[in-house]
Amino acid sequence: MGMGRALSVALVGLNGYVIEVEADIGQTLPNFVLLGLPDASLNEARERIRSAAQNSGIPLSRRKITVNLVPASLPKKGSGFDLAIVMAALNAAGNVRRTGGTVFLAELGLDGRLRPVRGVLPAVLAALSAGCREFVVATANLAEAQLVKGAKVRGYENLAQVAIDFDADPKDLCGVDGGWTGGNAESKTGQSTAAAQPLADLSEVAGQPVARLALEIAAAGGHHLMMVGPPGSGKTMLAERLPGLLPDLSDAEAMEVTAIHSLDNRGSGLMELVRRPPYERPHHSASTAAIIGGGSGIPRPGAATRAHRGVLFLDEAPEFDKRVLDALRQPLESGELVLHRSAGTASYPARFQLVMAANPCPCGKATGKGINCECTPMARRRYFGRLSGPLLDRVDIQLQVTKVQLAQLADSGPRESSQQVASRVQLARTIASERLKPWGLVHNADLTGRVLRGPLRLGGHSTALLDKAMGTGVLSARGYDRVLRLAWTVADLQGRERPDSDDVGLALTLRQRGEIS
């Protein structure tokens, strides 16, 4: 009896760490010891793999089996280590050979079938960056794992097939044929495209010309947006059409977003890269953990991370818990969430566009003179009091949207489609990215005060109105910079090299939630 080894991957958030699975078969009474900070689901692997091996025709040794997951100080969770553990044990017993350089990622059923696990894509990415090239996964995870360029991936239906391909004697495996499903072809990341999803079209929105313009500016510059207006004015319709104005994700962005979806795994196995920006619309009763992320053990991603590189829409924003809304302030600034729990710390990307919609008061009738409003002044203050000043200060565009008039609703004339607006958005984004390349930035929303007041400083004649607003206390220093970011986006959409006073004036109007018709 000797030692056996195999490799697997432990995920802490989106960060993966290669785990060496060591197995030793001793000379004492039968036992199975699992070391290396396993959680409850991983501890159950002892019984799963014994039954899986027995039912696959390759029973584990009746001696004491000690399995150590190295590094032992790193917490490990989930059932994705099952296959690596059984392969290390079989390697120690001499049933299989050459397992040391292969990464095994699969859960085992009691009958020996390989079942898919969550987070295969980020696990393969992490192991590949650590120097591993060969991977074994369940057939259901094969297409997802092959999205990683440079990885040689094999997918199998059951444990017996894996054992045969790793030099087990087929005569000892109840006559099960070997072979993998899908081969070990290199992945084709550049050719993987998400299937086209039907998107709501902007042409369906009647009226609201300035709100449509604000939506276009938000899409072009990556700016956050808030719309306040009575029920039925089109706030939700406008927000739902923002993703259709955004360009497809780049290869790097698509891999990032797909890795998040792989870890979250709310649907069937991923077959292709996610190319369209995600859209998340949580209910207003969602908790802080649901929006930001959390849970027991290693914290899991929330809606803010699932909206990475896309849109997070909070409908009826004042109905959300104040602590939930204020928790968004940090990712709005940094684009990242770092969650600390007793079991460990996980970091998730969260660079999204925040869109909020709200009624003018709890009853929604406080428009115009507000004579039909049934809310008391205290109720109105309490309603909007959940939207703190520091949160609103981080929202670039703040609109007051009015009701659609009958003439606008009855107008059957042609309206611009999402495709037409998206073409202008793409051109404006290209102009901005070329200008911002020297500072490693992509969108105007990413501009820092150092750049705005340095290389991209505007003349006093262009910022006179803005300087006056700040001098009177209407704008904070953060608000001043955000108006300048908006002005650069307006100029990009107009094809101008630098913003003029009109661009700054429009940006200030969009920032100040003036009455817009």
Side-chain angles (χ1 to χ4, degrees), residues 365-371 515:
K365 299 177 183 179
T367 57
K369 295 182 179 180
I371 57 177
E515 189 76 19

Side-chain angles (χ1 to χ4, degrees), residues 151-166:
K152 299 178 66 175
V153 187
R154 291 180 279 183
Y156 295 85
E157 293 285 352
N158 55 63
L159 176 59
Q161 293 176 343
V162 181
I164 289 176
D165 277 347
F166 281 82

Side-chain angles (χ1 to χ4, degrees), residues 208 229-234 364-365 367 401-406 408 516-517:
Q208 306 296 7
S233 57
K365 299 177 183 179
T367 57
V401 184
T402 58
K403 287 184 177 180
V404 177
Q405 302 301 314
L406 178 60
Q408 296 173 320
I516 295 176
S517 58

Side-chain angles (χ1 to χ4, degrees), residues 16 56 70 111 128 144 196 214 229-230 242 253-254 280 290 299-300 329 395 408 411 420 430 441 459 487:
S56 298
V70 182
D111 58 357
L128 189 67
E144 179 182 335
L242 178 56
E253 292 171 340
E280 288 288 325
R300 298 196 56 78
R329 288 156 52 180
V395 180
Q408 296 173 320
D411 184 9
Q420 292 173 299
T430 301
L441 305 175

